[in-house]
């Protein structure tokens, strides 16, 4: 770790009047997380059931009502107005503000799965086959009502852009597991089946390092074509010459570092070294010729053959997990179904259902599910009342922050668990609410981190992934 | 520019994200046009008047806006010698310019 700060960081953390001895102290705190295992001040917990995370982020907000939150009684209330006692005049988006709130029951059948009898939508048959590995959280809630702040909150712990993302915190708090690949890799789907007109943007801040040194930021692979560009040296540059060139540029960078002390120069040096190693490690990672195509198609489904598919990215995520990448985050877009939801949700479910189940089964048969935490979440849920045209088999849904469904599997999670309850309309949480900060605290806990103690001083605050409001680990889903 | 996390320009942003990834390092190391630029600069530099030291000082100043320190100059001279083991004179000068174009102080504004 490098005990250096920029001039701006110096001014932010110390104020202008303080002496350099204090700077030394604060800089040391800032650059190195406190304590080792066994230190009572440490953020390390005695146990870490999970070594790594595969976070499957469903951008656009999937409908809990049509996938996970079974409300059979709602059929009797088709086209009824949502009672005031349920919505309580709660803030809604500009899209449905002032309009009547008319109940739109899900058109999909739900079937019980596994020993626990977990009910899942008919569009998720493969996920149903691994229900006994899942902890389904029906009571997730968020404060955000629009996509960008919603995703930013889920990925960085606050709606305000620019804070450190979950993967960056883990890289900072736990260090490297491997020397040849980044700690935190992001894979975005190149295409999806649900909705190609209404596409949500993805921003590098969702995997950014914020106030943490930028070497902890996520490294996004190209969604299609070669996952990493410019891996090969120019034709006349041998690996040996490349090595000499990097030695030379490092000497020059170190001299600059000694002169101005900007820690970003250290990041450049580290990233150039990583780039050199990735020239060998990426071809090994992405070359699928050693994979058994027939088995992979059985596991992940037919889409695994297409570069850029969610299925292919799940397979790549497994290969990254095998190679010691700590945090692998997949983003699958196309879940924002304001109109024509049934057709679109079928398409999206086709994209993710079999790959998710395949990933869980693949990790399990390799003995890796026990220490790999698989997480599935979108930024919020969707309203029980319809948006746009409303028929039994065609409707849309607006954004809904007050309750939505997420799941976790592996990594010390108790499979076959259904956690939390929503009311008859899937509008409010009635039992065991899980705000985003509790969700994040639980992920950190499974990786052996006390979310309250892993902090970084920035703008006068000991910043945490879980923010300033009290957060708690969701013990009810742990094994 | 995607690799440098530049804004997509479909919406206004108040500030650029701060990013520094190995993908950016790879681009500056291996992107063909960027490497060609170094080769071209090396060619014009070789055709210019002056000693080897003068040329090293000049190209350093061209790229970074300031003259190299004594230590940097020594490092660059050693680099030139060792690159000559791997190719002809033009190749060695190309690698020197290429190295300067990969420095942190060249790609980041302080």
């Amino acid at each position: 770790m490098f005990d250096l700060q920029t001039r701006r960081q110096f001014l932010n953390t110390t104020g202008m009047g303080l002496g350099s001895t204090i700077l030394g102290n604060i800089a040391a705190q800032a650059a190195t997380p406190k304590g080792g295992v066994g230190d009572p001040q440490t953020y390390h917990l005695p146990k870490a059931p999970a070594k790594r995370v595969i976070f499957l982020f469903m951008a656009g907000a999937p409908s809990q009502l049509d996938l996970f939150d079974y409300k059979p009684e709602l059929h009797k209330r088709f086209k009824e107005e949502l009672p005031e006692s349920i919505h309580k005049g709660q803030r809604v988006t500009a899209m449905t503000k002032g309009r009547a709130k008319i109940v739109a029951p899900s058109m999909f059948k739900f079937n019980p799965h596994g020993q626990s009898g977990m009910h899942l939508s008919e569009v998720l048959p493969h996920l149903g086959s691994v229900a006994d590995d899942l902890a389904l959280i029906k009571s997730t809630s968020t404060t955000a009502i629009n996509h960008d702040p919603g995703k930013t909150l889920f990925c960085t712990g606050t709606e305000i852009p620019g804070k450190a993302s979950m993967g960056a915190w883990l890289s900072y708090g736990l260090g490297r597991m491997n020397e040849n690949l980044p700690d935190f890799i992001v894979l975005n789907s190149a295409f999806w089946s649900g909705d190609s007109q209404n596409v949500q943007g993805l921003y590098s801040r969702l995997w950014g390092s914020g106030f943490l040194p930028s070497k902890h930021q996520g490294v996004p692979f190209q969604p299609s074509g070669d996952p990493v560009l410019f891996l090969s040296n120019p034709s006349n540059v041998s690996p040996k010459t490349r090595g000499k060139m990097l030695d030379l540029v490092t000497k020059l960078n170190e001299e600059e570092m000694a002169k101005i002390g900007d820690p970003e120069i250290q990041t450049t040096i580290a990233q150039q070294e990583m780039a050199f190693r990735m020239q060998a490690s990426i071809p090994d990672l992405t070359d699928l010729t050693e994979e058994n195509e027939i088995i992979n198609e059985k596991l992940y489904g037919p889409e695994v053959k297409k570069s850029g598919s969610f299925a292919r990215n799940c397979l790549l995520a497994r290969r990254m997990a095998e190679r010691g990448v700590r945090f692998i985050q997949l983003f699958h877009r196309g879940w924002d179904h304001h109109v024509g939801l049934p057709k679109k949700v079928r398409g999206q479910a086709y994209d993710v259902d079999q790959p998710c189940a395949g990933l869980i089964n693949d990790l399990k048969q390799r003995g890796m599910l026990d220490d790999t935490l698989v997480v599935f979440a979108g930024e919020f849920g969707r309203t029980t009342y319809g948006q746009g045209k409303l028929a039994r088999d065609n409707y849309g849904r607006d954004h809904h922050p007050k309750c939505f469904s997420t799941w976790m599997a592996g990594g010390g999670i108790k499979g076959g668990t259904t956690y939390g309850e929503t009311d008859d309309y899937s509008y409010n949480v009635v039992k065991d609410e899980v705000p985003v900060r509790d969700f994040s605290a639980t992920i950190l806990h499974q990786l052996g981190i006390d979310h309250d103690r892993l902090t970084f001083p920035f703008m006068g605050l000991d910043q945490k992934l879980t923010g300033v409001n009290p957060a708690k680990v969701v013990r009810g889903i742990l094994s | 520019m995607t690799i440098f996390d530049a804004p997509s320009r479909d919406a206004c942003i108040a500030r650029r994200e701060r990013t520094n990834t190995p993908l950016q390092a790879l681009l500056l190391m291996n992107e063909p046009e960027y490497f060609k630029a170094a080769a071209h600069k090396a060619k014009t530099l070789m055709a210019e008047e002056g000693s080897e030291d003068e040329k090293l000082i000049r190209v350093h100043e061209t790229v970074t806006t300031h003259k190299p320190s004594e230590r940097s100059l020594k490092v660059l001279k050693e680099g030139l010698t060792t690159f000559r083991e791997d190719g002809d004179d033009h190749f060695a000068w190309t690698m020197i310019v290429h190295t300067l174009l990969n420095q942190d102080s060249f790609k980041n504004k302080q």
Side-chain angles (χ1 to χ4, degrees), chain A residues 69 71 88 136-141 402-406 414 417-435 438 472 474 476-477:
Chain A
D69 201 5
K71 297 291 172 195
K88 296 177 183 137
L136 178 62
I137 305 171
K138 290 186 172 181
S139 52
T140 330
S141 71
K402 291 175 78 81
C403 68
F404 57 106
S405 300
T406 53
K414 187 165 64 188
T417 312
T418 300
Y419 187 84
E421 283 171 31
T422 57
D423 63 20
D424 296 344
Y425 292 88
S426 187
Y427 200 93
N428 299 293
V429 172
V430 294
K431 192 175 165 221
D432 295 333
E433 183 167 3
V434 179
D438 292 8
K472 58 183 191 303
V474 185
I477 63 167

Side-chain angles (χ1 to χ4, degrees), chain A residues 40-360:
Chain A
Q41 288 301 310
T42 184
Y43 56 85
H44 290 289
L45 299 170
K47 274 197 286 190
K51 285 203 183 88
R52 59 192 87 80
V53 183
I54 301 175
F55 197 131
L56 311 168
F57 196 89
M58 301 295 124
S63 166
Q64 78 281 10
L65 278 149
D66 298 279
L67 297 170
F68 300 112
D69 201 5
Y70 181 40
K71 297 291 172 195
E73 297 300 306
L74 218 49
H75 283 283
K76 297 177 193 152
R77 303 186 191 276
F78 177 63
K79 285 202 172 176
E80 278 181 18
E81 186 145 358
L82 183 68
E84 169 85 32
S85 62
I86 297 294
H87 67 76
K88 296 177 183 137
Q90 172 237 340
R91 178 180 73 139
V92 300
T93 75
M95 289 172 274
T96 47
K97 194 178 170 191
R99 307 247 175 104
K101 296 178 173 57
I102 306 298
V103 171
S106 175
M107 69 166 287
F108 296 107
K109 275 208 219 71
F110 278 64
N111 304 307
H113 294 278
Q115 289 183 352
S116 75
M118 182 186 289
H119 275 84
L120 294 174
S121 166
E122 62 180 318
V123 298
L124 299 172
H126 292 95
L127 202 59
S129 72
V130 294
D132 287 337
D133 293 309
L134 306 182
L136 178 62
I137 305 171
K138 290 186 172 181
S139 52
T140 330
S141 71
T142 180
T143 49
I145 201 168
N146 283 313
H147 297 288
D148 188 344
K151 281 184 289 209
T152 307
L153 173 62
F154 235 106
C155 295
T156 71
T158 162
E159 294 181 32
I160 300 162
K163 299 288 175 72
S165 60
M166 186 183 284
W169 274 113
L170 292 174
S171 166
Y172 170 70
L174 296 173
R176 306 202 76 83
M177 280 205 290
N178 82 92
E179 287 300 318
N180 299 316
L181 289 166
D183 306 328
F184 176 12
I185 298 180
V186 176
L187 295 166
N188 297 322
S189 304
F191 53 86
W192 47 90
S193 308
D195 194 343
S196 51
Q197 280 107 48
N198 180 21
V199 179
Q200 307 303 318
L202 294 174
Y203 309 95
S204 56
R205 82 169 85 98
L206 299 177
W207 47 88
S209 58
F211 38 74
L212 296 174
S214 59
K215 70 172 175 175
H216 298 298
Q217 81 181 93
V219 173
F221 280 19
Q222 300 286 322
S224 54
D226 290 340
V228 176
L229 298 179
F230 310 117
L231 276 176
S232 314
N233 287 320
S235 57
N236 53 347
V237 176
S238 66
K240 190 175 142 221
T241 311
R242 174 59 73 206
K244 288 182 187 177
M245 173 267 174
L246 285 172
D247 282 349
L248 181 56
V249 78
T250 298
K251 280 181 195 159
L252 295 172
N253 284 334
E254 279 170 351
E255 196 187 326
E256 188 74 3
M257 177 72 187
K259 204 160 68 188
I260 63 170
D262 180 356
E264 276 303 298
I265 300 174
Q266 293 287 15
T267 296
T268 295
I269 294 170
Q271 301 298 38
Q272 284 171 337
E273 281 168 13
M274 178 55 75
F276 182 66
R277 291 194 211 105
M278 282 169 69
Q279 289 186 289
S281 64
I282 296 293
D284 169 69
L285 169 70
T286 56
D287 176 13
L288 301 179
T289 51
E290 66 181 70
E291 289 282 335
N292 185 322
E293 276 180 47
I294 296 162
I295 290 177
N296 281 342
E297 200 177 326
K298 255 187 210 153
L299 280 167
Y300 295 91
E303 298 290 320
V304 77
K305 288 185 284 193
K306 295 183 198 159
S307 162
S309 66
F310 180 79
R312 169 68 68 85
N313 285 346
C314 282
L315 173 61
L316 283 174
R318 187 265 285 161
R319 289 177 66 86
M320 290 173 188
E322 287 176 310
R323 285 162 178 75
V325 179
R326 173 100 51 200
F327 194 78
I328 305 146
Q329 195 163 25
L330 275 64
F331 285 87
H332 192 64
R333 296 191 263 175
W335 286 103
D336 192 22
H337 303 156
H338 290 278
V339 292
L341 181 143
K343 182 166 173 275
K344 292 171 184 171
V345 98
R346 269 184 207 283
Q348 293 291 104
Y350 168 77
D351 292 347
V352 304
D353 174 44
Q354 195 171 353
C356 288
L359 178 62
I360 288 170

